[in-house]
Amino acid sequence: MLEILLSQIASGLVLGGLYVLIAIGLSIIFGLLGIVNFAHGAFFTLGAYFALTLYQLFGWPAVILSPILVGIVGIVAERLLIRRLYDKEPLISLIVTFALALLIEASVRLIYGGIGQPFSPPPFLAGFYIWGPVLITKYRVFVLATTAAVLIALWLFLEYTPFGRILRAGSRDPEMVGLLGINLPRVLTWVFGLGCAISGIAGLLAAPLWTVTPAMATNAIMPAFVIVAIGGLGSFAGAVIAGLMVGVVIALTIQFEPDMSGAVMYLFMALMLLLRPRGLLGERWERFE
């Protein structure tokens, strides 16, 4: 029992790490742009399909370009569509980004077909690690380490670079950032691209773990919203903690109560929000008219 428990917790941390990457990108976009990006899961799917295509054409080294391509698609989408939503009601942005998600999924189905495509891990990551009672694949350890590295790099970027300080300031007072002479529209474009690229990294890492299908977005976007709600809007640390917790809870539920695995994260979210409506590390936001 102890071996099963520890192995499931390890697998849950890997799953939670992927959820964290998706939720962090979603949180960054909402924090600065104020856009409820329902198409975020579609960019996750693009990350997986771009990685699959690059692998088939050029081999494993080329797959690292997948998140960059997803970020470029995000920048194009922001310039053509998203920037028209900044002064609109949140419901409009939700509807438009939902339509964008449907468009991306339909395009993926048209190009790749609707049948799932397997995507095996690279050969050098085949096999298992055994640490005492814990049995885990080498690729899952790689995913967990890569997720940690990406999150640390993102935190350092947001905390210690001029652009990161602009992002944090703009999330609180975009008008003041504009008055300081900063080209805010350009900043918003790059923010949306960054958020989409982070989702693309999650899609790249998830591709060998999940079957690559156009419907992957469904398995990504709802956990991301749940994690943002549990962690607290605009909280980087809250999203990380909430994502890991949700991943572990889902993994343990799959092992011991598989019939509940589809609903457990929503029950967990309801319980957490009853205890703390702002989320784990959410701040109190005030609206000024």
Side-chain angles (χ1 to χ4, degrees):
M1 178 62 69
L2 178 61
E3 181 177 343
I4 293 174
L5 185 63
L6 293 177
S7 296
Q8 287 301 112
I9 290 175
S11 297
L13 291 175
V14 174
L15 178 63
L18 294 175
Y19 287 161
V20 168
L21 288 179
I22 306 168
I24 286 292
L26 184 68
S27 183
I28 288 174
I29 291 173
F30 179 81
L32 184 56
L33 279 65
I35 297 294
V36 182
N37 183 22
F38 208 84
H40 204 67
F43 290 103
F44 168 86
T45 303
L46 284 181
Y49 272 99
F50 283 161
L52 178 62
T53 303
L54 290 168
Y55 164 69
Q56 292 172 343
L57 293 176
F58 306 108
W60 278 109
V63 301
I64 61 174
L65 298 176
S66 172
I68 298 175
L69 295 177
V70 175
I72 292 173
V73 174
I75 288 173
V76 173
E78 194 278 339
R79 286 183 175 272
L80 296 179
L81 184 64
I82 302 300
R83 65 172 47 187
R84 305 173 190 274
L85 306 176
Y86 294 148
D87 57 347
K88 302 295 190 298
E89 291 294 326
L91 180 61
I92 297 177
S93 68
L94 182 62
I95 294 172
V96 172
T97 55
F98 179 70
L100 178 60
L102 295 179
L103 175 63
I104 293 175
E105 181 175 338
S107 301
V108 169
R109 289 182 183 275
L110 179 64
I111 297 172
Y112 295 96
I115 300 176
Q117 303 186 46
F119 188 24
S120 301
F124 68 92
L125 291 175
F128 296 85
Y129 285 119
I130 300 177
W131 292 305
V134 178
L135 176 68
I136 188 170
T137 64
K138 290 182 179 179
Y139 184 73
R140 290 180 182 271
V141 174
F142 171 78
V143 169
L144 192 58
T146 302
T147 300
V150 170
L151 292 175
I152 292 172
L154 182 61
W155 177 76
L156 292 174
F157 171 76
L158 293 175
E159 290 289 331
Y160 297 106
T161 66
F163 191 77
R165 287 191 286 269
I166 291 172
L167 296 189
R168 289 186 287 115
S171 66
R172 294 303 184 88
D173 196 340
E175 183 179 355
M176 181 59 67
V177 170
L179 292 175
L180 292 174
I182 296 171
N183 189 334
L184 190 58
R186 182 179 298 176
V187 171
L188 298 182
T189 299
W190 285 104
V191 168
F192 193 84
L194 175 64
C196 293
I198 295 172
S199 184
I201 294 174
L204 164 63
L205 295 175
L209 295 175
W210 305 354
T211 301
V212 181
T213 68
M216 288 178 69
T218 305
N219 297 326
I221 188 62
M222 294 313 298
F225 278 115
V226 168
I227 289 165
V228 170
I230 294 174
L233 290 175
S235 173
F236 186 99
V240 174
I241 295 171
L244 296 177
M245 291 173 64
V246 168
V248 170
V249 168
I250 291 176
L252 293 176
T253 306
I254 290 174
Q255 178 64 38
F256 298 107
E257 290 290 340
D259 292 339
M260 290 289 294
S261 60
V264 66
M265 67 176 177
Y266 303 108
L267 296 175
F268 184 57
M269 178 183 68
L271 176 62
M272 293 299 299
L273 294 183
L274 282 174
L275 298 175
R276 188 173 175 83
R278 287 180 286 155
L280 291 174
L281 299 178
E283 300 178 6
R284 187 182 300 278
W285 293 82
E286 298 181 3
R287 185 178 183 89
F288 296 94
E289 301 294 344

